[in-house]
Amino acid sequence: MAAEKGEKGAAAKEVAGERMVTLESSDGEEFHMSEAAAQLSTLLRHVIEGGGIDNGIPLPKVAARTLEKVIMYCEKHAKAAAKSDSDPSAAAGSSSDNTAAASEDLEKWDRKLVNGLSQDALFDLIVAADYLVIDGLLDATCRKVADMMKGKTPDEIRKIFNILNDFTKEEEEEMRREYAWAFDD
Amino acid sequence: MSASDLPDELWARVLELGAASSALGFRDLCCLAITSRRLHRLSLHSSLWSVLLSRDFPSQSQPSSSSSSSQQQQQVHPKSQYKTKFERHKVRMAEARRRVVFEAEARVLACRRRLAELEESMRAEGDRMKAAAQELDNLERVRRASVALNVWQPQVVRGRQKQLVQQCTVHVDSRLSDLNMELKVCKQQIATSKNIYNKEKQKLSEYEETLERAKYHPLRNSHTGAIAKEPHAKRKKLK
């Protein structure tokens, strides 16, 4: 099977010896991603295995700016996995320190990624990670939301996430009484 | 996408991860329950409270009682179990909470003290600066007088200038340069102190916010600190 480089070339091209896939965001933008990175998404993995990627994979549920972040995450994690696989010292005894430091660095990178997002972008990324079934990314983004809620009062939570208080006055007072036990001292 | 648009399953995942990673504790779930109907519903998931139950009361696993009561146990919602155990350990939990409030108050007080110290030192520095500027002024006058004496002056003026110069006991030029240096140093000190002061002020507002959060109680009005009166509310069962 010769690799045809026409206008509508096979989505699985080779770039510098790496197989790439083409993804199309909901707003029509095209992105390229290494196949290794795409494997991190269970959904994409199945699509690739099923062979239905000749003209690119449309992702009508994922906008361009979100897809960009998804690809960043997957490429980073795919590279990290490849590095640890090919690490020569993995055979030697010193591997545990290296892998611990490497996974810590990766965690820091993940935190930096989610910390730099606006709230809207964060929730978009959660939905995308869920849709594409990328567990690590879903965990990292959901963790961030949980961290944002930690220690906050109900008023603060409503303010931060723009959540409407849809209790009636009586209901809210009942809620407060019901949960007062947790705050008594 | 906004928080309100996020589907239930994903909010559930957020809460699960929060509980599992200790980011969210029992008070957080209670605050979430008070926030909105949807979050109330989500915060009631048994799995969340089970996780907290086994983490906060680990040694208190299934009580070694007869099979009938342990069957009952399985039917009691973990949140109620948590509340029961909590009230049994109320003293310990209340102490922990008081400690948190105490530490938060201590931080606020220490910050306020630092701010007062900074204000004092900036004031002292300002006074020093004023004194130096005053002396500088006077010395400048002496210097101008001594320069003027080199040229012809009317006798009246000359007499006054001679007096000024004779009364000055210090070496004018070197004292002038010392004073200029001192003024420079004072200005720098004040600028630095101001910088630290502003940062400290920011810290203070953060600490005060944290203190307010630590003192939160759903029945207490956050503004007045008084306990809200029990209203004659209809008891509605919320699904």
Side-chain angles (χ1 to χ4, degrees), chain B residues 53-54 57-64 73 81 85:
Chain B
L53 199 60
S54 55
F57 302 104
S59 55
Q60 330 264 328
S61 44
Q62 301 307 89
S64 53
Q73 199 79 25
Q81 290 183 46
K85 299 225 163 107

Side-chain angles (χ1 to χ4, degrees), chain A residues 113-164:
Chain A
L113 177 70
V114 298
N115 284 341
L117 300 172
S118 70
Q119 210 184 103
D120 279 351
L122 179 61
F123 283 115
D124 283 337
L125 197 52
I126 290 181
V127 171
D130 177 57
Y131 170 64
L132 294 167
V133 194
I134 307 174
D135 280 342
L137 183 57
L138 188 57
D139 280 357
T141 44
C142 286
R143 260 302 294 278
K144 171 69 182 170
V145 177
D147 286 342
M148 285 164 78
M149 296 192 295
K150 181 192 179 102
K152 304 289 197 297
T153 64
D155 260 340
E156 286 176 316
I157 295 175
R158 289 186 201 120
K159 222 189 290 180
I160 292 173
F161 294 109
N162 225 343
I163 293 177
L164 179 67

Side-chain angles (χ1 to χ4, degrees), chain B residues 6-194:
Chain B
L6 199 72
D8 275 2
E9 323 86 75
L10 291 178
W11 266 117
R13 180 102 178 216
V14 168
L15 297 186
E16 268 165 34
L17 277 168
S21 67
S22 307
L24 300 177
F26 71 101
R27 281 205 188 99
D28 295 308
L29 290 187
C30 293
C31 281
L32 283 169
I34 300 175
T35 299
S36 77
R37 285 183 188 228
R38 202 225 254 188
L39 285 176
H40 173 251
R41 200 179 357 111
L42 289 165
S43 76
L44 283 178
H45 284 187
S46 315
S47 53
L48 297 173
W49 288 96
S50 299
V51 168
L52 294 183
L53 199 60
S54 55
R55 186 169 53 228
D56 293 345
F57 302 104
S59 55
Q60 330 264 328
S61 44
Q62 301 307 89
S64 53
S65 37
S66 61
S67 59
S68 59
S69 78
S70 58
Q71 233 180 11
Q72 274 179 350
Q73 199 79 25
Q74 281 159 15
Q75 284 164 8
V76 176
H77 193 289
K79 184 186 127 200
S80 312
Q81 290 183 46
Y82 192 99
K83 178 174 175 184
T84 308
K85 299 225 163 107
F86 177 84
E87 309 218 285
R88 233 178 271 157
H89 294 84
K90 209 169 179 145
V91 173
R92 166 163 59 100
M93 306 301 265
E95 262 176 31
R97 179 176 156 86
R98 267 198 294 273
R99 209 180 320 132
V100 169
V101 173
F102 182 75
E103 282 170 4
E105 282 173 344
R107 269 194 291 268
V108 168
L109 284 173
C111 204
R112 288 209 182 118
R113 215 177 312 133
R114 275 196 298 271
L115 281 171
E117 282 169 6
L118 280 167
E119 276 170 20
E120 188 49 52
S121 90
M122 281 197 288
R123 213 188 337 256
E125 208 63 36
D127 286 344
R128 266 233 297 275
M129 211 168 96
K130 241 186 274 180
Q134 185 71 50
E135 205 191 324
L136 196 83
D137 248 356
N138 294 340
L139 279 184
E140 272 293 316
R141 236 177 286 145
V142 171
R143 192 180 62 81
R144 278 199 294 270
S146 74
V147 165
L149 283 175
N150 292 329
V151 299
W152 183 87
Q153 305 280 349
Q155 195 53 37
V156 180
V157 178
R158 201 177 183 78
R160 218 185 320 133
Q161 285 167 344
K162 240 187 179 157
Q163 200 181 31
L164 251 180
V165 172
Q166 279 166 354
Q167 275 174 356
C168 182
T169 51
V170 301
H171 189 274
V172 175
D173 286 332
S174 73
R175 185 68 187 141
L176 273 178
S177 82
D178 283 348
L179 283 172
N180 276 314
M181 175 60 47
E182 186 159 346
L183 272 181
K184 217 188 204 168
V185 169
C186 280
K187 284 201 188 124
Q188 268 173 0
Q189 278 284 79
I190 293 182
T192 308
S193 294
K194 241 197 181 146

